[in-house]
Amino acid sequence: MTEQQSPDEGEPIVLDQTDKRSIAPFLAAAVFAVVVLVAIGLGGVLSPAEKNVTEAEKIAGAVGNFVEGANNTDMVPPPGTGCPDFDPAKSPLAGQEGVGKTIELVAVTDQSLNGDRAKATVTTKVDGKEHTATWNLTRTDGKWLVCNV
């Protein structure tokens, strides 16, 4: 008997597997990724976030440091927050400080800048009583410090 071939079995299909693939797209993607990372790094170095802080924010930060320091120490002014010629009797917190009393900074508004001198309207709260006063600040070595005059 002779074997008959089924219609499914015909000529074998020959696949050409000699396609040459290129590494070029992968290299292009890698180069692009490196360029993006270098651009991000340069952006961070050439334009640091601290340069984006306004003078008003720096003044508010100095006032906040002064109040926080007053809450954490008995020294007037707290270390690193007051001008060298600071007079404790004329402290903007005079009369509000006391043993066991926490001073809460409510608001720092109306900052006005005149060169290396500034004024700000500061509202604080002690024992539920709010007190608003104009604080004087001076920029020394690039840092704002609370002063009496």
Side-chain angles (χ1 to χ4, degrees):
M1 290 183 108
T2 57
E3 280 187 37
Q4 288 187 338
Q5 284 187 333
S6 68
D8 293 341
E9 294 180 25
E11 279 296 310
I13 299 174
V14 179
L15 296 176
D16 182 16
Q17 295 182 358
T18 60
D19 289 345
K20 293 189 180 191
R21 295 186 180 182
S22 172
I23 195 165
F26 298 107
L27 288 177
V31 168
F32 179 74
V34 168
V35 168
V36 168
L37 290 175
V38 168
I40 290 171
L42 287 175
V45 170
L46 298 176
S47 180
E50 66 189 28
K51 288 187 178 182
N52 296 332
V53 178
T54 65
E55 290 301 319
E57 291 169 330
K58 290 178 184 178
I59 291 168
V63 170
N65 290 339
F66 188 91
V67 171
E68 182 180 342
N71 285 329
N72 295 328
T73 183
D74 293 333
M75 297 176 70
V76 178
T81 62
C83 291
D85 58 347
F86 191 89
D87 182 4
K90 297 178 182 177
S91 170
L93 295 176
Q96 294 181 309
E97 304 157 323
V99 178
K101 292 182 180 180
T102 299
I103 302 166
E104 178 185 342
L105 180 60
V106 177
V108 179
T109 58
D110 300 329
Q111 294 100 331
S112 63
L113 190 63
N114 185 9
D116 285 340
R117 295 191 175 271
K119 291 183 182 278
T121 303
V122 179
T123 303
T124 54
K125 185 190 295 187
V126 178
D127 289 338
K129 296 178 186 173
E130 285 193 3
H131 176 74
T132 301
T134 300
W135 288 31
N136 298 300
L137 295 96
T138 300
R139 183 174 23 215
T140 304
D141 296 328
K143 180 179 179 183
W144 287 103
L145 302 173
V146 176
C147 300
N148 301 114
V149 280

